[in-house]
Amino acid sequence: MSSVLAAAAAASPVLATMPPRQRAEALVAAADALLAAADELVPLAMEETGLAEPRLRGEIKRTAVQLKLFADVAAAGEFLGVRLDAADPDFVLGPRPDLRRYLVPLGPVLNFAAGNFPFAFSVAGGDTASALAAGCPVVVKAHPGHPRLSDRTAQIVSAALPPGALGVIHGQEEGVAALRDERIAAASFTGSLAGGRALAEIAAARPHPIPFYGELGSLNPVVVTPDALAERASAIAQGFAASVSGSAGQLCTKPGLLFVPVEFAAAEAFEGVAPHPLLHPGIVDGYTRRRAEILETPGVTVAVEGAVTDDGVTPTLVETDLATLLKHRDTLLQEAFGPLSAVVRYTPGESLGAALTELVEGSLTAGVHIGAGEDSPWLRELVAALQALSGRVLFNGWPTGVAVTPAMQHGGPFPAATNPTTTSVGTAAITRFLRPVVYQDCPQSLLPEPLRDDNPWNVPQHRSPAGESSTWGSLAA
Ligand code: NAP
């Protein structure tokens, strides 16, 4: 571990001072190297995770696209947030100095990779792409579910990057030791609530605490309105079953609760789903325990029993109501990581928004299926509640499948994430690994490149000219 951290520390000033376009070229080269190795990496991922080939081929492409998206973010330079306030002797509050602010990389980032996305949230995944684009070297704590894939991916991708920019460590002890190491300046994590919480506390308890960005578990409630159900019950049932069963439900965005106004025959859509292996024995144990707890809860009935066998799992669907959720919230209102979901009856016309606010903690997503042109005070109150509890509000869709695109938000109020102000997918993810600095009255020759008047990196510079303060407040008129 020590040599990986030393290499990351040595790479830190190199990456930080590398012009953003050069950083972008390295990210594109990394993406191309990853894609070129797909025929080697995908079979290795299949062997270690049990995930299906089409899913993994799609995921490796998504991972390369993500690296290229962040290459463009780096090249465009907007992420540096350059603001230049000209010196102003006539400033409304007395003379103003020359102020030049921008964002600088924090330094080496420790990334605890996810088990269920061996490419997209692992060694060359979103956290790595956004940290490298920000100018931070990355040390990945490999997920124990795909250790060989992690090492091989790092070998392939790091060859396209400056030395030390990307390294891998293994094992829980090494991960914790690295998190405590003063050379690590920030950490990101994708995994369970318990793991994320434990690591967040370690990050906060260091002599010099560091930012910790944990993306944790989520219930992802979805509401079906009476109008939507009347229009397309069968399509909703099919979509729900596909979203719960895909990748054996091992997705942080799996819809764990479906709220329906009347009896809803979803069981048929779940029938015939083939067994799918779970990622590793720890997930099998956790899922088996959670499934048993839920099935044994009074007030819960089984719509589709499903099974956990040596061949894999088939989905389990249960039915219950709002009162039972409230009474057994400790059991029913926690994530079951695997293909299990609950259909919950609500009474049309009653305030479902208030019930959701009371019941559901922070979630990555919250969705609603509505009828064509549907709008009402009831629906507006519900949508406001969905916004309050989640990071992504979806209409007439399913939360699994996270688009890799600038506006995406993947995060939310705790326990969806340890820090609700940011995201791990989408271009805003880069802000996690930057901190602001302002230069005051600094001579041009000593200024960092993005802050100079001749702008050698050619990055966007937002200027506040002298004299401006005399008209502040006029935009409100
Ligand atoms: P996990 O058990 O929390 O493991 C994730 C990583 O954290 C592993 O590298 C693990 O290392 C490490 N870790 C966990 N607890 C630790 C501790 N106390 N001390 C030090 N290291 C620790 O998660 P998982 O079971 O692999 O993944 C399933 C969970 O991930 C689900 O809850 C799912 O919802 C969540 N997830 C969230 C997202 C998202 O974007 N929000 C995406 C995917 C998955 P060791 O095993 O080596 O200890």
Side-chain angles (χ1 to χ4, degrees):
M1 179 192 81
S2 190
S3 62
V4 175
L5 290 187
S12 196
V14 177
L15 276 180
T17 53
M18 183 182 263
R21 276 194 186 72
Q22 230 170 293
R23 247 182 247 166
E25 283 165 18
L27 286 167
V28 171
D32 290 341
L34 186 71
L35 274 187
D39 287 343
E40 176 194 347
L41 296 178
V42 167
L44 191 49
M46 289 165 66
E47 193 189 312
E48 289 194 301
T49 65
L51 293 169
E53 181 170 359
R55 146 79 206 264
L56 289 166
R57 291 224 173 249
E59 192 185 324
I60 199 168
K61 184 175 174 195
R62 166 189 169 160
T63 309
V65 167
Q66 195 156 248
L67 285 161
K68 289 187 178 181
L69 170 65
F70 277 104
D72 280 10
V73 170
E78 187 75 49
F79 77 95
L80 291 164
V82 176
R83 296 175 190 191
L84 308 182
D85 291 3
D88 187 355
D90 301 321
F91 188 70
V92 68
L93 299 175
R96 173 174 89 179
D98 176 285
L99 290 168
R100 293 165 186 254
R101 182 186 200 264
Y102 80 140
L103 301 174
V104 295
L106 283 174
V109 170
L110 177 63
N111 165 13
F112 288 83
N116 58 346
F117 281 92
F119 295 114
F121 285 82
S122 191
V123 173
D127 287 344
T128 295
S130 51
L132 289 172
C136 300
V138 180
V139 174
V140 177
K141 190 287 182 181
H143 194 281
H146 53 269
R148 286 184 295 133
L149 177 70
S150 300
D151 283 337
R152 192 62 191 121
T153 306
Q155 273 172 353
I156 290 163
V157 169
S158 61
L161 300 170
L166 179 63
V168 169
I169 59 172
H170 293 269
Q172 187 171 107
E173 271 178 36
E174 293 227 332
V176 171
L179 186 60
R180 292 199 168 113
D181 194 292
E182 288 296 318
R183 287 169 290 192
I184 292 297
S188 59
F189 169 92
T190 305
S192 66
L193 175 56
R197 185 139 209 169
L199 293 168
E201 281 166 14
I202 291 171
R206 288 169 36 132
H208 297 98
I210 55 169
F212 181 89
Y213 299 102
E215 298 290 336
L216 315 178
S218 191
L219 281 171
N220 308 301
V222 179
V223 176
V224 184
T225 69
D227 285 9
L229 206 60
E231 275 176 22
R232 47 181 204 282
S234 167
I236 290 172
Q238 296 293 337
F240 176 48
S243 192
V244 171
S245 312
S247 301
Q250 300 169 110
L251 301 173
C252 50
T253 49
K254 177 205 71 180
L257 296 169
L258 185 77
F259 293 87
V260 293
V262 292
E263 202 159 308
F264 176 51
E268 211 176 300
F270 283 79
E271 276 157 19
V273 176
H276 188 299
L278 291 175
L279 288 160
H280 57 83
I283 302 273
V284 177
D285 291 349
Y287 180 67
T288 305
R289 182 179 49 77
R290 288 287 295 125
R291 179 174 169 276
E293 277 172 7
I294 292 166
L295 290 178
E296 285 160 14
T297 303
V300 170
T301 56
V302 178
V304 178
E305 185 157 6
V308 184
T309 69
D310 291 345
D311 293 336
V313 286
T314 51
T316 295
L317 186 66
V318 299
E319 291 175 350
T320 189
D321 53 29
L322 287 173
T324 305
L325 282 192
L326 193 56
K327 192 166 173 196
H328 298 287
R329 60 187 314 155
D330 289 349
T331 310
L332 300 180
L333 292 171
Q334 282 174 34
E335 181 190 45
F337 192 66
L340 185 151
S341 190
V343 174
V344 185
R345 284 279 290 277
Y346 69 89
T347 308
E350 280 184 12
S351 172
L352 184 56
L356 285 178
T357 307
E358 159 75 15
L359 286 168
V360 182
E361 291 188 288
S363 201
L364 290 166
T365 74
V368 59
H369 287 259
I370 60 175
E374 185 176 350
D375 193 352
S376 67
W378 178 87
L379 181 57
R380 284 170 181 265
E381 186 203 87
L382 175 65
V383 171
L386 300 184
Q387 173 180 306
L389 67 85
S390 78
R392 177 159 58 110
V393 183
L394 294 96
F395 291 82
N396 296 338
W398 299 100
T400 43
V402 181
V404 173
T405 186
M408 181 45 73
Q409 170 60 26
H410 191 65
F414 189 84
T418 53
N419 182 331
T421 63
T422 184
T423 178
S424 67
V425 184
T427 50
I430 195 171
T431 60
R432 296 175 297 171
F433 307 120
L434 296 162
R435 79 175 172 88
V437 177
V438 66
Y439 279 68
Q440 183 167 331
D441 289 332
C442 177
Q444 285 287 320
S445 60
L446 293 179
L447 280 171
E449 283 85 344
L451 302 184
R452 278 167 36 188
D453 284 340
D454 62 349
N455 195 4
W457 285 3
N458 194 23
V459 296
Q461 294 179 326
H462 299 275
R463 290 175 178 269
S464 296
E468 207 184 41
S469 62
S470 63
T471 61
W472 281 354
S474 60
L475 292 183

